Every structure is written in structure tokens, then in C-alpha cells.
């Protein structure tokens, strides 16, 4: 059922399904809010997520409702670009850590928006006594942990963006192994500051490889040398990859301009317990500039076409179907893939 607040504003004779966007529209930059504009375009053009978001029966004073209203503006307006002044103000009121007119981080913006939507529309799963008994007897710790978490958090964000990692910690001295589970909604990847172009799978191989765990003592022998390796046990429907392009060097923050070539179709089988984990590229968040000044824009797929959303300006892109490419951005900031 479509959100009633907006069904009432649109007569039955003029109402059209918002599930498939009309012609793409830009978002006006009203004060260094390019980071927010880029994230909104990325979420809006994620069609399955947009479809479910617009059906949420949420509080009329919630941030989610304000985002829904903004989505409807993008869908219904006949203008080529939408004024973002009202939504930008609502965003700043909801997230006071972001300041008007300041340079802000797009990934931090995305994580805050997803967290707020989840909190405002959370419907924990209520389990019967026998369900709990069955869960307790479950020998698969990954599934047991996942189901326990859904008793606390179960919402549109957990359905789309949340995955699960298994952290395997192994002592080099006594071989004691400890397994821990944690959920994630973004894989944040450190980059090497090198001039050679790196392929995304090479970067992921490095991210998921076994590494020494500092400041940790073995639970059994109290040895100081242990290694940790992460394995994905639950793959999210939407995979968010962010690249740490800012690092501290000699007490100064520097931007890492490492080139990344990435595929239109990403196979993640090497990083999980299960196979057949294939993702299709849906959006790219680009960042240009330096530490002190920068600009964000987005490239998104909409109805089988690619568009560049640079604030108010929207241009159709011709992305060739190559196995690996930089697709107009050798230094992507965020990549968003959706499971095929």
C-alpha cells in the first residue's frame, strides 16, 4: 500500500506508480550540500529500496517522512532540478553534527541516514517459546546470531543494507581459535597510496586477508601474537564499498589518490562462506578536490541507463560494458552494488 499521506495529495486520475522514476532530475546546491545531493540521488535511483520506502507508514514528523516527501518531489516535479533548501534544513535539524555550508563527508552522511531510517521504522521479530527453543538448539552460530539480532532490529535497512561478518582470531603460539560475529552495512577499505591502477578485487583480497591483531592477548595462553581474518557469512542485498581516501601522515591529513578499476558485475565468492554472490554496479559516488576543498557528484543507473548527477546538472552517460574500467572516475569514493 502506497504511503497514504501522498496518495491523498495525488488524485486517482493523475497518480502514476513511483516505482519507476520519470526523467532524472537534478538537485540544486544551496550551500555546499553536494555530499547530501549525491547520496539522495544514489538512494532514489536504487529502485527496490525506493519502492519499499515509499510504502512505509511512518510518523508524519519523522525524518523518514521528510525523505519520502523529497523522493516524491523528485518523481512528480516537472522541473529539471529540485530546490533542496527545505530538505537540507530538515537534514541539518535531524543531524546537528553536520553544519550549514561546511564541507562534509558523503559516507558519514549515508550511514547516518540509514541508521535514522532503521530506528524510526523498526519492527523487531517476536518469537514464540518454541521458536526460541529451536533457535537455541541451532548449531549454526551465524544463523543463531542473525536471528537474535532481528529480535532487536528488523527494518527496511536490515533487509537491504545489513550483512554479517565472522571474525576468526587465531593464536600463533597455541593455535587457539576464537570466532566472533558482527554486522556491517558498509565495507570500509583502506588504500595504498601508489600510482599504479589497482583492480577492485585486488583491493578486496588485501582487505580480507589474514592480518596481525595488535593489542590483543590470546584467551588461552595470553600470547601477544594473534591473527584475524574476516569472512562474510551473510551477504547484504545492497553492498556498499567505501574507500578511505584520507589518511594521517606526519600529523597531516592527506588525500590518497590511488586509481581503482572496478567491474560492472562483481563476484564476491572469495570473501564469504557461500557461493553465487554476484552483484551489479548501481551507483558511484565521486569525489574531486583535496583535503580542504572538494566536490561530490554521483553516477547512477536508472531504467537501464546511466546518468551523471552533478547537483542541478544531469547528463546521460555512455558506460561501455567492459569487464573492468574506471567509468569516468579513477578515484571512486563509494561504490554501491545490488545483488543479482
Amino acid at each position: 500500500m502506497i504511503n497514504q499521506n501522498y496518495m491523498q495529495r495525488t488524485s486517482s486520475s493523475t497518480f502514476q506508480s513511483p516505482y519507476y522514476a520519470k526523467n532524472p532530475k537534478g538537485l540544486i546546491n544551496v550551500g555546499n550540500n553536494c555530499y547530501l545531493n549525491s547520496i539522495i540521488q544514489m538512494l532514489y535511483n536504487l529502485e527496490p529500496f525506493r519502492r519499499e520506502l515509499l510504502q512505509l507508514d511512518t510518523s508524519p514528523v519523522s525524518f523518514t517522512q521528510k525523505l519520502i516527501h523529497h523522493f516524491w518531489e523528485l518523481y512528480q516535479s516537472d522541473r529539471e532540478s529540485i530546490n533542496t533548501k527545505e530538505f537540507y534544513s530538515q537534514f541539518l535539524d535531524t543531524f546537528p553534527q553536520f553544519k550549514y555550508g561546511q564541507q562534509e563527508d558523503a559516507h558519514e552522511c549515508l550511514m547516518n541516514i540509514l541508521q535514522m531510517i532503521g530506528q524510526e521504522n523498526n519492527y523487531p521479530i517476536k518469537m514464540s517459546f518454541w521458536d526460541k527453543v529451536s533457535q537455541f538448539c541451532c548449531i549454526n552460530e551465524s544463523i543463531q546470531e542473525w536471528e537474535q539480532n532481528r529480535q532487536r532490529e528488523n527494518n527496511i535497512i536490515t533487509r537491504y543494507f545489513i550483512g554479517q561478518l565472522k571474525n576468526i582470531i587465531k593464536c600463533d603460539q597455541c593455535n587457539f581459535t576464537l570466532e566472533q560475529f558482527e554486522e556491517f552495512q558498509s565495507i570500509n577499505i583502506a588504500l595504498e597510496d601508489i600510482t599504479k591502477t589497482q583492480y577492485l578485487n585486488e583491493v578486496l583480497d588485501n582487505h580480507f586477508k589474514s592480518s596481525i591483531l595488535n593489542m590483543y592477548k590470546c584467551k588461552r595462553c595470553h600470547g601477544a601474537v594473534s591473527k584475524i581474518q574476516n569472512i562474510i557469512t551473510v551477504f547484504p542485498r545492497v553492498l556498499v564499498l567505501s574507500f578511505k581516501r584520507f589518511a594521517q601522515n606526519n600529523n597531516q591529513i592527506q588525500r590518497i589518490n590511488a586509481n581503482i578499476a572496478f567491474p560492472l558485475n562483481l563476484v564476491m565468492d572469495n570473501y564469504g562462506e557461500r557461493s553465487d554472490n554476484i552483484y551489479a554496479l548501481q551507483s558511484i559516488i565521486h569525489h574531486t578536490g583535496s583535503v580542504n576543498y572538494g566536490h561530490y557528484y554521483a553516477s547512477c543507473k536508472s531504467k537501464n541507463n546511466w546518468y551523471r548527477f552533478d547537483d542541478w546538472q544531469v547528463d546521460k552517460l555512455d558506460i561501455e560494458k567492459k569487464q573492468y574500467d574506471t567509468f569516468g572516475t579513477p578515484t571512486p569514493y563509494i561504490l554501491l552494488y545490488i545483488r543479482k
Side-chain angles (χ1 to χ4, degrees):
M1 185 174 181
I2 302 297
N3 186 292
Q4 293 299 318
N5 293 326
Y6 289 92
M7 281 292 289
Q8 292 169 2
R9 297 185 188 186
T10 313
S11 68
S12 58
S13 60
T14 61
F15 178 76
Q16 292 177 293
S17 171
Y19 297 163
Y20 295 96
K22 291 183 178 179
N23 292 333
K25 301 176 183 66
L27 295 169
I28 298 172
N29 191 325
V30 294
N32 284 337
N33 63 319
C34 58
Y35 68 94
L36 178 59
N37 289 347
S38 299
I39 294 301
I40 294 303
Q41 294 286 12
M42 184 185 75
L43 293 176
Y44 179 78
N45 285 288
L46 186 57
E47 186 269 327
F49 175 75
R50 179 180 71 240
R51 177 192 304 178
E52 188 166 341
L53 185 78
L54 291 174
Q55 296 181 75
L56 289 180
D57 187 13
T58 189
S59 167
V61 296
S62 67
F63 174 78
T64 304
Q65 191 64 49
K66 296 176 176 65
L67 180 60
I68 289 173
H69 175 77
H70 203 39
F71 275 17
W72 274 92
E73 284 185 302
L74 278 167
Y75 174 75
Q76 291 181 318
S77 178
D78 293 327
R79 299 175 182 174
E80 292 184 354
S81 56
I82 306 299
N83 192 321
T84 62
K85 184 176 181 180
E86 180 180 4
F87 180 73
Y88 184 33
S89 177
Q90 293 167 341
F91 171 81
L92 295 176
D93 288 342
T94 305
F95 306 102
Q97 66 269 37
F98 294 89
K99 306 300 180 184
Y100 177 83
Q102 286 190 10
Q103 302 282 328
E104 302 286 2
D105 184 80
H107 181 258
E108 183 182 356
C109 171
L110 172 63
M111 293 298 103
N112 276 273
I113 287 175
L114 296 183
Q115 183 180 27
M116 183 59 68
I117 295 172
Q119 289 177 353
E120 292 179 337
N121 304 277
N122 195 38
Y123 302 96
I125 296 176
K126 295 182 180 180
M127 301 185 70
S128 68
F129 170 78
W130 292 112
D131 286 335
K132 292 180 180 179
V133 171
S134 176
Q135 182 190 76
F136 180 78
C137 296
C138 179
I139 60 174
N140 189 316
E141 292 184 58
S142 169
I143 295 176
Q144 190 179 60
E145 185 83 11
W146 180 267
E147 291 182 348
Q148 286 178 349
N149 287 338
R150 297 295 71 79
Q151 294 176 57
R152 296 188 296 270
E153 288 184 288
N154 181 55
N155 52 64
I156 185 175
I157 303 305
T158 61
R159 287 191 291 276
Y160 281 88
F161 293 93
I162 298 298
Q164 185 192 70
L165 284 172
K166 178 166 67 175
N167 303 318
I168 305 172
I169 302 172
K170 186 175 182 179
C171 177
D172 279 356
Q173 297 181 30
C174 71
N175 289 325
F176 176 71
T177 300
L178 177 66
E179 294 184 353
Q180 299 174 334
F181 295 92
E182 65 173 312
E183 294 188 343
F184 69 93
Q185 60 183 11
S186 172
I187 297 177
N188 307 319
I189 304 169
L191 296 175
E192 295 182 67
D193 194 6
I194 58 178
T195 56
K196 172 187 168 185
T197 297
Q198 303 170 66
Y199 290 99
L200 179 57
N201 282 111
E202 294 175 341
V203 175
L204 288 169
D205 287 344
N206 187 62
H207 177 80
F208 281 99
K209 73 179 182 182
S210 177
S211 60
I212 295 176
L213 189 61
N214 296 319
M215 306 297 292
Y216 177 84
K217 290 187 177 182
C218 175
K219 301 294 184 182
R220 176 186 288 172
C221 72
H222 306 292
V225 181
S226 294
K227 291 182 179 178
I228 183 171
Q229 184 170 17
N230 299 322
I231 297 176
I232 300 175
T233 46
V234 177
F235 283 87
R237 186 174 180 183
V238 176
L239 181 66
V240 178
L241 304 177
S242 71
F243 300 96
K244 299 178 182 179
R245 292 208 169 271
F246 300 98
Q248 190 165 356
N249 186 18
N250 295 326
N251 296 323
Q252 291 185 333
I253 303 296
Q254 295 182 345
R255 189 179 193 276
I256 299 175
N257 293 308
N259 293 343
I260 304 293
F262 47 96
L264 289 175
N265 294 298
L266 177 64
V267 180
M268 292 289 291
D269 290 355
N270 289 343
Y271 318 113
E273 289 187 336
R274 298 170 180 84
S275 59
D276 198 26
N277 301 294
I278 304 174
Y279 288 83
L281 184 65
Q282 170 62 36
S283 292
I284 310 164
I285 299 296
H286 314 249
H287 181 269
T288 60
S290 62
V291 174
N292 298 318
Y293 173 79
H295 178 64
Y296 290 100
Y297 61 96
S299 295
C300 306
K301 189 177 182 180
S302 176
K303 293 190 293 187
N304 296 319
N305 293 314
W306 280 89
Y307 297 89
R308 168 173 162 159
F309 298 91
D310 191 349
D311 287 331
W312 60 271
Q313 187 172 350
V314 180
D315 297 308
K316 193 172 182 179
L317 296 176
D318 183 18
I319 291 185
E320 298 181 33
K321 293 185 177 181
K322 300 178 181 179
Q323 182 179 3
Y324 273 91
D325 201 352
T326 58
F327 304 111
T329 176
T331 57
Y333 196 68
I334 302 173
L335 297 176
L336 186 142
Y337 284 87
I338 185 168
R339 194 165 188 173
K340 299 183 75 172

PDB file of all heavy atoms in Angstrom, residues 285-309:
ATOM      1  N   ILE A 285      29.698   7.136  -6.142  1.00  0.00           N
ATOM      2  CA  ILE A 285      29.868   8.476  -5.579  1.00  0.00           C
ATOM      3  C   ILE A 285      31.299   8.905  -5.875  1.00  0.00           C
ATOM      4  O   ILE A 285      32.251   8.233  -5.482  1.00  0.00           O
ATOM      5  CB  ILE A 285      29.603   8.495  -4.059  1.00  0.00           C
ATOM      6  CG1 ILE A 285      28.170   8.064  -3.760  1.00  0.00           C
ATOM      7  CG2 ILE A 285      29.864   9.900  -3.494  1.00  0.00           C
ATOM      8  CD1 ILE A 285      27.089   8.976  -4.303  1.00  0.00           C
ATOM      9  N   HIS A 286      31.433  10.020  -6.581  1.00  0.00           N
ATOM     10  CA  HIS A 286      32.738  10.544  -6.959  1.00  0.00           C
ATOM     11  C   HIS A 286      33.129  11.672  -6.010  1.00  0.00           C
ATOM     12  O   HIS A 286      32.269  12.404  -5.522  1.00  0.00           O
ATOM     13  CB  HIS A 286      32.716  11.125  -8.379  1.00  0.00           C
ATOM     14  CG  HIS A 286      32.046  10.259  -9.400  1.00  0.00           C
ATOM     15  ND1 HIS A 286      32.734   9.633 -10.414  1.00  0.00           N
ATOM     16  CD2 HIS A 286      30.738   9.919  -9.592  1.00  0.00           C
ATOM     17  CE1 HIS A 286      31.884   8.962 -11.185  1.00  0.00           C
ATOM     18  NE2 HIS A 286      30.679   9.118 -10.697  1.00  0.00           N
ATOM     19  N   HIS A 287      34.413  11.822  -5.780  1.00  0.00           N
ATOM     20  CA  HIS A 287      34.916  12.959  -5.014  1.00  0.00           C
ATOM     21  C   HIS A 287      36.119  13.528  -5.728  1.00  0.00           C
ATOM     22  O   HIS A 287      37.058  12.813  -6.062  1.00  0.00           O
ATOM     23  CB  HIS A 287      35.310  12.553  -3.593  1.00  0.00           C
ATOM     24  CG  HIS A 287      35.823  13.700  -2.761  1.00  0.00           C
ATOM     25  ND1 HIS A 287      37.162  14.034  -2.689  1.00  0.00           N
ATOM     26  CD2 HIS A 287      35.163  14.606  -1.998  1.00  0.00           C
ATOM     27  CE1 HIS A 287      37.303  15.084  -1.901  1.00  0.00           C
ATOM     28  NE2 HIS A 287      36.117  15.440  -1.462  1.00  0.00           N
ATOM     29  N   THR A 288      36.075  14.810  -5.981  1.00  0.00           N
ATOM     30  CA  THR A 288      37.200  15.507  -6.590  1.00  0.00           C
ATOM     31  C   THR A 288      37.699  16.574  -5.621  1.00  0.00           C
ATOM     32  O   THR A 288      36.947  17.053  -4.771  1.00  0.00           O
ATOM     33  CB  THR A 288      36.801  16.174  -7.909  1.00  0.00           C
ATOM     34  OG1 THR A 288      35.754  17.140  -7.662  1.00  0.00           O
ATOM     35  CG2 THR A 288      36.275  15.143  -8.908  1.00  0.00           C
ATOM     36  N   GLY A 289      38.961  16.940  -5.739  1.00  0.00           N
ATOM     37  CA  GLY A 289      39.492  18.004  -4.899  1.00  0.00           C
ATOM     38  C   GLY A 289      40.571  17.516  -3.969  1.00  0.00           C
ATOM     39  O   GLY A 289      41.281  16.553  -4.240  1.00  0.00           O
ATOM     40  N   SER A 290      40.655  18.171  -2.818  1.00  0.00           N
ATOM     41  CA  SER A 290      41.721  17.897  -1.854  1.00  0.00           C
ATOM     42  C   SER A 290      41.120  17.712  -0.469  1.00  0.00           C
ATOM     43  O   SER A 290      39.907  17.573  -0.308  1.00  0.00           O
ATOM     44  CB  SER A 290      42.716  19.066  -1.853  1.00  0.00           C
ATOM     45  OG  SER A 290      42.065  20.260  -1.437  1.00  0.00           O
ATOM     46  N   VAL A 291      41.993  17.738   0.554  1.00  0.00           N
ATOM     47  CA  VAL A 291      41.533  17.606   1.938  1.00  0.00           C
ATOM     48  C   VAL A 291      40.678  18.796   2.345  1.00  0.00           C
ATOM     49  O   VAL A 291      39.639  18.652   3.005  1.00  0.00           O
ATOM     50  CB  VAL A 291      42.740  17.466   2.889  1.00  0.00           C
ATOM     51  CG1 VAL A 291      42.280  17.482   4.341  1.00  0.00           C
ATOM     52  CG2 VAL A 291      43.499  16.174   2.591  1.00  0.00           C
ATOM     53  N   ASN A 292      41.095  19.987   1.971  1.00  0.00           N
ATOM     54  CA  ASN A 292      40.434  21.206   2.424  1.00  0.00           C
ATOM     55  C   ASN A 292      39.258  21.629   1.553  1.00  0.00           C
ATOM     56  O   ASN A 292      38.400  22.395   1.983  1.00  0.00           O
ATOM     57  CB  ASN A 292      41.449  22.350   2.483  1.00  0.00           C
ATOM     58  CG  ASN A 292      42.565  22.067   3.467  1.00  0.00           C
ATOM     59  OD1 ASN A 292      42.329  21.562   4.563  1.00  0.00           O
ATOM     60  ND2 ASN A 292      43.806  22.354   3.078  1.00  0.00           N
ATOM     61  N   TYR A 293      39.242  21.154   0.325  1.00  0.00           N
ATOM     62  CA  TYR A 293      38.149  21.535  -0.561  1.00  0.00           C
ATOM     63  C   TYR A 293      37.844  20.364  -1.485  1.00  0.00           C
ATOM     64  O   TYR A 293      38.751  19.711  -1.990  1.00  0.00           O
ATOM     65  CB  TYR A 293      38.506  22.752  -1.409  1.00  0.00           C
ATOM     66  CG  TYR A 293      37.453  23.067  -2.455  1.00  0.00           C
ATOM     67  CD1 TYR A 293      36.290  23.733  -2.100  1.00  0.00           C
ATOM     68  CD2 TYR A 293      37.610  22.643  -3.774  1.00  0.00           C
ATOM     69  CE1 TYR A 293      35.307  23.995  -3.043  1.00  0.00           C
ATOM     70  CE2 TYR A 293      36.634  22.904  -4.722  1.00  0.00           C
ATOM     71  CZ  TYR A 293      35.490  23.581  -4.345  1.00  0.00           C
ATOM     72  OH  TYR A 293      34.513  23.824  -5.283  1.00  0.00           O
ATOM     73  N   GLY A 294      36.578  20.107  -1.698  1.00  0.00           N
ATOM     74  CA  GLY A 294      36.215  19.011  -2.576  1.00  0.00           C
ATOM     75  C   GLY A 294      34.788  19.134  -3.065  1.00  0.00           C
ATOM     76  O   GLY A 294      34.019  19.998  -2.608  1.00  0.00           O
ATOM     77  N   HIS A 295      34.454  18.267  -3.995  1.00  0.00           N
ATOM     78  CA  HIS A 295      33.110  18.274  -4.570  1.00  0.00           C
ATOM     79  C   HIS A 295      32.672  16.842  -4.828  1.00  0.00           C
ATOM     80  O   HIS A 295      33.452  16.017  -5.304  1.00  0.00           O
ATOM     81  CB  HIS A 295      33.089  19.073  -5.873  1.00  0.00           C
ATOM     82  CG  HIS A 295      31.750  19.081  -6.543  1.00  0.00           C
ATOM     83  ND1 HIS A 295      30.647  19.655  -5.963  1.00  0.00           N
ATOM     84  CD2 HIS A 295      31.337  18.568  -7.743  1.00  0.00           C
ATOM     85  CE1 HIS A 295      29.596  19.500  -6.775  1.00  0.00           C
ATOM     86  NE2 HIS A 295      29.994  18.845  -7.855  1.00  0.00           N
ATOM     87  N   TYR A 296      31.418  16.554  -4.482  1.00  0.00           N
ATOM     88  CA  TYR A 296      30.834  15.233  -4.709  1.00  0.00           C
ATOM     89  C   TYR A 296      29.824  15.290  -5.848  1.00  0.00           C
ATOM     90  O   TYR A 296      29.096  16.279  -6.007  1.00  0.00           O
ATOM     91  CB  TYR A 296      30.097  14.741  -3.460  1.00  0.00           C
ATOM     92  CG  TYR A 296      30.969  14.373  -2.290  1.00  0.00           C
ATOM     93  CD1 TYR A 296      31.149  15.253  -1.225  1.00  0.00           C
ATOM     94  CD2 TYR A 296      31.599  13.124  -2.227  1.00  0.00           C
ATOM     95  CE1 TYR A 296      31.940  14.911  -0.138  1.00  0.00           C
ATOM     96  CE2 TYR A 296      32.383  12.766  -1.143  1.00  0.00           C
ATOM     97  CZ  TYR A 296      32.550  13.665  -0.103  1.00  0.00           C
ATOM     98  OH  TYR A 296      33.332  13.318   0.966  1.00  0.00           O
ATOM     99  N   TYR A 297      29.775  14.223  -6.628  1.00  0.00           N
ATOM    100  CA  TYR A 297      28.692  14.016  -7.575  1.00  0.00           C
ATOM    101  C   TYR A 297      28.491  12.514  -7.722  1.00  0.00           C
ATOM    102  O   TYR A 297      29.303  11.715  -7.234  1.00  0.00           O
ATOM    103  CB  TYR A 297      28.968  14.690  -8.921  1.00  0.00           C
ATOM    104  CG  TYR A 297      30.195  14.196  -9.657  1.00  0.00           C
ATOM    105  CD1 TYR A 297      30.099  13.226 -10.650  1.00  0.00           C
ATOM    106  CD2 TYR A 297      31.455  14.735  -9.388  1.00  0.00           C
ATOM    107  CE1 TYR A 297      31.223  12.784 -11.340  1.00  0.00           C
ATOM    108  CE2 TYR A 297      32.583  14.303 -10.065  1.00  0.00           C
ATOM    109  CZ  TYR A 297      32.454  13.327 -11.047  1.00  0.00           C
ATOM    110  OH  TYR A 297      33.565  12.884 -11.719  1.00  0.00           O
ATOM    111  N   ALA A 298      27.387  12.136  -8.341  1.00  0.00           N
ATOM    112  CA  ALA A 298      27.023  10.708  -8.403  1.00  0.00           C
ATOM    113  C   ALA A 298      26.766  10.275  -9.834  1.00  0.00           C
ATOM    114  O   ALA A 298      26.283  11.061 -10.662  1.00  0.00           O
ATOM    115  CB  ALA A 298      25.780  10.452  -7.546  1.00  0.00           C
ATOM    116  N   SER A 299      27.089   9.028 -10.119  1.00  0.00           N
ATOM    117  CA  SER A 299      26.681   8.367 -11.361  1.00  0.00           C
ATOM    118  C   SER A 299      25.778   7.208 -10.967  1.00  0.00           C
ATOM    119  O   SER A 299      26.174   6.370 -10.158  1.00  0.00           O
ATOM    120  CB  SER A 299      27.896   7.850 -12.134  1.00  0.00           C
ATOM    121  OG  SER A 299      28.711   8.917 -12.566  1.00  0.00           O
ATOM    122  N   CYS A 300      24.557   7.174 -11.512  1.00  0.00           N
ATOM    123  CA  CYS A 300      23.581   6.175 -11.091  1.00  0.00           C
ATOM    124  C   CYS A 300      22.895   5.553 -12.300  1.00  0.00           C
ATOM    125  O   CYS A 300      22.696   6.204 -13.328  1.00  0.00           O
ATOM    126  CB  CYS A 300      22.501   6.803 -10.194  1.00  0.00           C
ATOM    127  SG  CYS A 300      23.136   7.688  -8.767  1.00  0.00           S
ATOM    128  N   LYS A 301      22.522   4.312 -12.119  1.00  0.00           N
ATOM    129  CA  LYS A 301      21.769   3.595 -13.143  1.00  0.00           C
ATOM    130  C   LYS A 301      20.284   3.774 -12.886  1.00  0.00           C
ATOM    131  O   LYS A 301      19.804   3.555 -11.782  1.00  0.00           O
ATOM    132  CB  LYS A 301      22.138   2.113 -13.136  1.00  0.00           C
ATOM    133  CG  LYS A 301      21.570   1.317 -14.293  1.00  0.00           C
ATOM    134  CD  LYS A 301      22.053  -0.125 -14.240  1.00  0.00           C
ATOM    135  CE  LYS A 301      21.537  -0.935 -15.429  1.00  0.00           C
ATOM    136  NZ  LYS A 301      22.007  -2.339 -15.359  1.00  0.00           N
ATOM    137  N   SER A 302      19.553   4.174 -13.920  1.00  0.00           N
ATOM    138  CA  SER A 302      18.112   4.379 -13.802  1.00  0.00           C
ATOM    139  C   SER A 302      17.442   3.854 -15.065  1.00  0.00           C
ATOM    140  O   SER A 302      17.715   4.344 -16.167  1.00  0.00           O
ATOM    141  CB  SER A 302      17.789   5.871 -13.617  1.00  0.00           C
ATOM    142  OG  SER A 302      16.395   6.088 -13.597  1.00  0.00           O
ATOM    143  N   LYS A 303      16.584   2.849 -14.910  1.00  0.00           N
ATOM    144  CA  LYS A 303      15.872   2.249 -16.052  1.00  0.00           C
ATOM    145  C   LYS A 303      16.832   1.857 -17.174  1.00  0.00           C
ATOM    146  O   LYS A 303      16.653   2.225 -18.330  1.00  0.00           O
ATOM    147  CB  LYS A 303      14.791   3.196 -16.556  1.00  0.00           C
ATOM    148  CG  LYS A 303      13.651   3.417 -15.588  1.00  0.00           C
ATOM    149  CD  LYS A 303      12.495   4.160 -16.203  1.00  0.00           C
ATOM    150  CE  LYS A 303      12.843   5.589 -16.555  1.00  0.00           C
ATOM    151  NZ  LYS A 303      11.662   6.359 -16.999  1.00  0.00           N
ATOM    152  N   ASN A 304      17.883   1.152 -16.809  1.00  0.00           N
ATOM    153  CA  ASN A 304      18.863   0.598 -17.759  1.00  0.00           C
ATOM    154  C   ASN A 304      19.742   1.645 -18.423  1.00  0.00           C
ATOM    155  O   ASN A 304      20.522   1.313 -19.322  1.00  0.00           O
ATOM    156  CB  ASN A 304      18.165  -0.238 -18.841  1.00  0.00           C
ATOM    157  CG  ASN A 304      17.462  -1.455 -18.270  1.00  0.00           C
ATOM    158  OD1 ASN A 304      17.993  -2.123 -17.381  1.00  0.00           O
ATOM    159  ND2 ASN A 304      16.263  -1.738 -18.755  1.00  0.00           N
ATOM    160  N   ASN A 305      19.633   2.888 -17.987  1.00  0.00           N
ATOM    161  CA  ASN A 305      20.510   3.946 -18.483  1.00  0.00           C
ATOM    162  C   ASN A 305      21.333   4.507 -17.336  1.00  0.00           C
ATOM    163  O   ASN A 305      20.907   4.473 -16.176  1.00  0.00           O
ATOM    164  CB  ASN A 305      19.698   5.075 -19.129  1.00  0.00           C
ATOM    165  CG  ASN A 305      19.006   4.634 -20.403  1.00  0.00           C
ATOM    166  OD1 ASN A 305      19.616   3.991 -21.259  1.00  0.00           O
ATOM    167  ND2 ASN A 305      17.730   4.963 -20.534  1.00  0.00           N
ATOM    168  N   TRP A 306      22.499   5.026 -17.670  1.00  0.00           N
ATOM    169  CA  TRP A 306      23.366   5.643 -16.664  1.00  0.00           C
ATOM    170  C   TRP A 306      23.326   7.157 -16.807  1.00  0.00           C
ATOM    171  O   TRP A 306      23.304   7.693 -17.916  1.00  0.00           O
ATOM    172  CB  TRP A 306      24.803   5.141 -16.821  1.00  0.00           C
ATOM    173  CG  TRP A 306      25.025   3.795 -16.212  1.00  0.00           C
ATOM    174  CD1 TRP A 306      24.858   2.583 -16.803  1.00  0.00           C
ATOM    175  CD2 TRP A 306      25.456   3.529 -14.869  1.00  0.00           C
ATOM    176  NE1 TRP A 306      25.142   1.565 -15.922  1.00  0.00           N
ATOM    177  CE2 TRP A 306      25.530   2.115 -14.728  1.00  0.00           C
ATOM    178  CE3 TRP A 306      25.798   4.330 -13.787  1.00  0.00           C
ATOM    179  CZ2 TRP A 306      25.925   1.503 -13.541  1.00  0.00           C
ATOM    180  CZ3 TRP A 306      26.188   3.716 -12.607  1.00  0.00           C
ATOM    181  CH2 TRP A 306      26.241   2.327 -12.488  1.00  0.00           C
ATOM    182  N   TYR A 307      23.313   7.843 -15.648  1.00  0.00           N
ATOM    183  CA  TYR A 307      23.277   9.301 -15.629  1.00  0.00           C
ATOM    184  C   TYR A 307      24.297   9.826 -14.627  1.00  0.00           C
ATOM    185  O   TYR A 307      24.562   9.197 -13.598  1.00  0.00           O
ATOM    186  CB  TYR A 307      21.883   9.807 -15.228  1.00  0.00           C
ATOM    187  CG  TYR A 307      20.786   9.426 -16.197  1.00  0.00           C
ATOM    188  CD1 TYR A 307      20.092   8.223 -16.053  1.00  0.00           C
ATOM    189  CD2 TYR A 307      20.447  10.261 -17.260  1.00  0.00           C
ATOM    190  CE1 TYR A 307      19.091   7.859 -16.939  1.00  0.00           C
ATOM    191  CE2 TYR A 307      19.439   9.909 -18.154  1.00  0.00           C
ATOM    192  CZ  TYR A 307      18.777   8.714 -17.984  1.00  0.00           C
ATOM    193  OH  TYR A 307      17.783   8.353 -18.857  1.00  0.00           O
ATOM    194  N   ARG A 308      24.825  10.995 -14.952  1.00  0.00           N
ATOM    195  CA  ARG A 308      25.696  11.694 -14.013  1.00  0.00           C
ATOM    196  C   ARG A 308      24.867  12.794 -13.356  1.00  0.00           C
ATOM    197  O   ARG A 308      24.292  13.646 -14.047  1.00  0.00           O
ATOM    198  CB  ARG A 308      26.904  12.298 -14.744  1.00  0.00           C
ATOM    199  CG  ARG A 308      27.703  13.268 -13.891  1.00  0.00           C
ATOM    200  CD  ARG A 308      28.962  13.701 -14.603  1.00  0.00           C
ATOM    201  NE  ARG A 308      29.517  14.920 -14.000  1.00  0.00           N
ATOM    202  CZ  ARG A 308      30.773  15.305 -14.120  1.00  0.00           C
ATOM    203  NH1 ARG A 308      31.623  14.576 -14.818  1.00  0.00           N
ATOM    204  NH2 ARG A 308      31.199  16.409 -13.563  1.00  0.00           N
ATOM    205  N   PHE A 309      24.816  12.766 -12.029  1.00  0.00           N
ATOM    206  CA  PHE A 309      24.077  13.755 -11.247  1.00  0.00           C
ATOM    207  C   PHE A 309      25.077  14.660 -10.539  1.00  0.00           C
ATOM    208  O   PHE A 309      25.669  14.272  -9.528  1.00  0.00           O
ATOM    209  CB  PHE A 309      23.172  13.050 -10.224  1.00  0.00           C
ATOM    210  CG  PHE A 309      22.113  12.177 -10.832  1.00  0.00           C
ATOM    211  CD1 PHE A 309      22.355  10.828 -11.079  1.00  0.00           C
ATOM    212  CD2 PHE A 309      20.875  12.690 -11.158  1.00  0.00           C
ATOM    213  CE1 PHE A 309      21.388  10.009 -11.635  1.00  0.00           C
ATOM    214  CE2 PHE A 309      19.890  11.886 -11.715  1.00  0.00           C
ATOM    215  CZ  PHE A 309      20.147  10.550 -11.959  1.00  0.00           C
TER     216      PHE A 309
END
